[in-house]
Amino acid sequence: SAVISQKPSRDICQRGTSLTIQCQVDSQVTMMFWYRQQPGQSLTLIATANQGSEATYESGFVIDKFPISRPNLTFSTLTVSNMSPEDSSIYLCSGDPGGNEQFFGPGTRLTVL
Amino acid sequence: EDQVTQSPEALRLQEGESSSLNCSYTVSGLRGLFWYRQDPGKGPEFLFTLYSAGEEKEKERLKATLTKKESFLHITAPKPEDSATYLCAVQGVKTSYDKVIFGPGTSLSVIP
């Protein structure tokens, strides 16, 4: 298993600004994932981050809006750029320690005014 | 295209009233099916992985089973602390980068 922490846990931001979310894993993981979860909805995958290569984005998500860094096997960041109220959501990161199961962080609750 | 549906959308049980949640999936070759529990304001908590039809996994009052087209999460004599949203997810053999597809979830409420 893996224990994952995220910072910040929540934030309120003004439109047009950017927020960087940090994700830290207590062990090395090959794959890390970033999800968005709207209130009352299931998880939507934003992108997959593999250490040493560019992130792979899902349809509807682009690097200019959601740049991701993966500098090592225990850390990743997701930036939500040029925010609008439609970006208000919970952002979750997860890690796959190698057994196919993903373990999730507690999430970052973002509100954009 | 890989797809996951879950039913019912919401389920309300009396404490001690056993029931089952359903997860139906369409995938071109199943690599794994996963069950998660999510409490409000928290990230999903991993429960089980099932790999092949006929497989069963148990944890306390929960038992997960798998057929070729669906999985069931059986809850025996539930308690109020079992109240949560239960998410099912699948990973296909043709899936790139180990990603999984999540279902919409079943919101379970257990009333004392």
Side-chain angles (χ1 to χ4, degrees):
Chain A
S1 68
V3 178
I4 299 181
S5 58
Q6 285 184 235
K7 287 195 296 188
S9 59
R10 59 177 61 226
D11 208 340
I12 301 173
C13 301
Q14 297 296 320
R15 73 169 64 214
T17 63
S18 298
L19 176 72
T20 295
I21 302 168
Q22 298 180 10
C23 180
Q24 180 74 53
V25 190
D26 71 340
S27 59
Q28 294 184 345
V29 295
T30 304
M31 308 301 300
M32 293 183 74
F33 305 84
W34 287 97
Y35 291 85
R36 185 169 72 183
Q37 187 174 31
Q38 306 281 11
Q41 303 294 316
S42 191
L43 282 68
T44 299
L45 182 64
I46 297 171
T48 302
N50 194 4
Q51 193 263 338
S53 62
E54 283 207 5
T56 301
Y57 289 83
E58 296 299 302
S59 175
F61 299 96
V62 295
I63 187 171
D64 289 346
K65 176 68 175 177
F66 297 100
I68 288 170
S69 78
R70 182 81 202 273
N72 58 52
L73 291 174
T74 64
F75 188 79
S76 179
T77 67
L78 170 76
T79 299
V80 186
S81 302
N82 188 24
M83 289 184 286
S84 66
E86 292 71 36
D87 295 319
S88 297
S89 189
I90 297 170
Y91 292 84
L92 293 152
C93 73
S94 72
D96 175 355
N100 294 327
E101 301 90 3
Q102 293 182 25
F103 294 86
F104 284 83
T108 295
R109 183 180 295 272
L110 171 63
T111 302
V112 184
L113 303 177
Chain B
E1 182 179 336
D2 298 348
Q3 281 192 324
V4 181
T5 60
Q6 292 185 247
S7 62
E9 183 177 324
L11 181 61
R12 189 179 170 96
L13 298 174
Q14 292 291 323
E15 184 173 1
E17 179 187 3
S18 301
S19 188
S20 296
L21 313 182
N22 175 265
C23 171
S24 296
Y25 64 90
T26 303
V27 66
S28 51
L30 181 70
R31 182 184 295 173
L33 184 141
F34 311 93
W35 282 98
Y36 288 85
R37 169 193 170 123
Q38 186 173 27
D39 293 296
K42 296 187 177 181
E45 174 191 346
F46 171 74
L47 294 174
F48 303 110
T49 306
L50 300 167
Y51 293 103
S52 56
E55 190 175 1
E56 298 183 354
K57 295 270 180 78
E58 284 190 68
K59 180 180 179 180
E60 296 181 356
R61 294 177 292 282
L62 301 177
K63 183 168 81 172
T65 62
L66 181 65
T67 72
K68 289 187 177 180
K69 293 186 177 182
E70 56 192 352
S71 176
F72 293 93
L73 185 65
H74 307 278
I75 303 176
T76 302
K79 297 182 178 181
E81 53 262 42
D82 295 321
S83 298
T85 295
Y86 291 85
L87 298 166
C88 172
V90 298
Q91 186 180 71
V93 295
K94 294 183 180 179
T95 302
S96 60
Y97 297 104
D98 292 341
K99 72 177 186 181
V100 299
I101 306 299
F102 278 87
T106 293
S107 177
L108 174 65
S109 298
V110 182
I111 312 303

